[in-house]
Amino acid sequence: GNGFWGTLYCIDSHRMAAGIGGSGGVLQVGQFYLNHSIAASTHDVVMDGSNTDWSNTDEALYICSIENAKASLRCSRKGEYVYFAFDVKDEDISSDDYVSLYLSDSSENTLSSTSVRITASCKGLKESCRYSSGDWTAGSSDVKVSTRYNGTPDNSSDADKGYVVEIAIPAAKLPLSSGTLLANASLHDGNLDGSIAPVTGNSTTKWMIINSL
């Protein structure tokens, strides 16, 4: 008879594979990223724009996939600093593309004066802001950013690999609440934008929790 079948397989705590087939002989498979709260690692981070010191076992938040680009975010706490690493896979790197990191108090469900937004491209820091009077304003000069790219930015004639953005922020400058933070992240690539949760408005109810900070 005719019919369809489907299967799910848990790859790890953040990824799931799915397959569906039918009587037509066509098999469709896909990999899905499962976002939920993650625990920050405690490894030493070398701020050199490389992700080689970020272990494969580090938990990650999947940000988005738009056309030929996709991005993920990792976090680590070591000593007085909290570190973040964006890993962007991009076949056509542009210096106009960028990632943004949003951090807020996990005990609140809206943005406040302690909320932070950091934006960086493959060339380095673009902007560091705090939330004030309903808008983002320049501030938080203690932020350190290191980047590295694999490709030729602003040259669409070849195929690039992507870029890494590492961010270091003094823990004392962050709205930590019982060792946790609310996090959101976005990717701007060409004329397209993607994010974990909406970046407009002031609600943080759909942001992800980072633990072990």
Side-chain angles (χ1 to χ4, degrees):
N2 296 326
F4 291 89
W5 60 269
T7 184
L8 294 173
Y9 174 75
C10 185
I11 300 172
D12 55 35
S13 62
H14 296 280
R15 293 179 298 162
M16 181 170 288
I20 186 170
S23 57
V26 177
L27 174 63
Q28 300 180 67
V29 295
Q31 179 174 270
F32 300 90
Y33 294 83
L34 310 175
N35 270 348
H36 48 76
S37 62
I38 65 170
S41 66
T42 56
H43 72 276
D44 291 313
V45 176
V46 179
M47 289 288 292
D48 59 358
S50 171
N51 61 2
T52 55
D53 52 336
W54 292 82
S55 169
N56 289 331
T57 60
D58 284 345
E59 296 184 3
L61 289 173
Y62 176 71
I63 300 172
C64 67
S65 178
I66 47 180
E67 286 198 344
N68 295 321
K70 58 183 178 181
S72 61
L73 176 69
R74 288 178 166 83
C75 179
S76 179
R77 169 72 188 270
K78 190 72 172 181
E80 298 178 357
Y81 280 86
V82 178
Y83 300 89
F84 298 88
F86 284 89
D87 191 351
V88 182
K89 308 300 184 185
D90 191 351
E91 296 179 5
D92 187 12
I93 303 173
S94 169
S95 55
D96 293 327
D97 298 339
Y98 56 83
V99 292
S100 294
L101 172 66
Y102 301 77
L103 302 171
S104 199
D105 191 332
S106 62
S107 66
E108 302 176 353
N109 57 18
T110 59
L111 296 172
S112 68
S113 60
T114 61
S115 301
V116 176
R117 184 185 72 183
I118 301 161
T119 300
S121 72
C122 67
K123 298 292 185 68
L125 178 66
K126 290 176 65 70
E127 188 179 48
S128 177
C129 299
R130 287 197 178 273
Y131 194 74
S132 176
S133 302
D135 202 359
W136 295 101
T137 58
S140 189
S141 59
D142 294 326
V143 173
K144 300 178 182 179
V145 172
S146 181
T147 64
R148 184 180 297 189
Y149 51 84
N150 187 351
T152 52
D154 307 315
N155 181 2
S156 58
S157 64
D158 61 355
D160 302 319
K161 298 295 185 181
Y163 59 96
V164 172
V165 173
E166 288 185 306
I167 300 171
I169 312 172
K173 300 292 184 178
L174 293 174
L176 292 172
S177 178
S178 301
T180 67
L181 270 176
L182 278 179
N184 193 11
S186 64
L187 168 66
H188 174 81
D189 188 78
N191 296 319
L192 301 175
D193 293 278
S195 60
I196 296 174
V199 297
T200 57
N202 70 343
S203 174
T204 60
T205 56
K206 294 185 178 180
W207 291 23
M208 298 294 112
I209 296 177
I210 300 180
N211 298 299
S212 303
L213 292 168

